[in-house]
Amino acid sequence: MNFEFCIHDKSFLMGRKYEKKETDLPKEWVELVKQAMESNITKEDFKIFLENEKEKRKNK
């Protein structure tokens, strides 16, 4: 499994692009994603769950 994230900052505007690899993520987050992937939840359901939780916290 390989997660790639691009960081866009001022240096990106100067034509440089920096990438973070899975190994740059905190281990707890990698394990959480793996656990979600091994469960019966779909990516869409997980995304909806996260959006709902974000909305709940916003409305507190």
Side-chain angles (χ1 to χ4, degrees):
M1 179 181 321
N2 186 17
F3 296 97
E4 291 189 9
F5 299 91
C6 297
I7 298 174
H8 303 287
D9 59 7
K10 290 179 184 176
S11 60
F12 177 78
L13 298 174
M14 297 185 307
R16 289 181 287 185
K17 179 177 164 184
Y18 296 94
E19 293 183 1
K20 292 189 100 174
K21 302 289 183 196
E22 175 183 330
T23 55
D24 294 334
L25 293 173
K27 185 177 180 178
E28 295 84 12
W29 282 102
V30 174
E31 292 303 316
L32 184 60
V33 170
K34 287 179 182 178
Q35 182 180 354
M37 291 174 67
E38 292 169 356
S39 72
N40 290 330
I41 193 169
T42 65
K43 286 187 280 186
E44 185 61 30
D45 286 343
F46 190 56
K47 182 179 177 181
I48 291 169
F49 169 77
L50 293 174
E51 290 168 354
N52 288 340
E53 289 300 309
K54 181 180 177 181
E55 196 62 32
K56 280 184 202 175
R57 285 168 177 70
K58 191 165 101 175
N59 292 328
K60 280 188 176 182

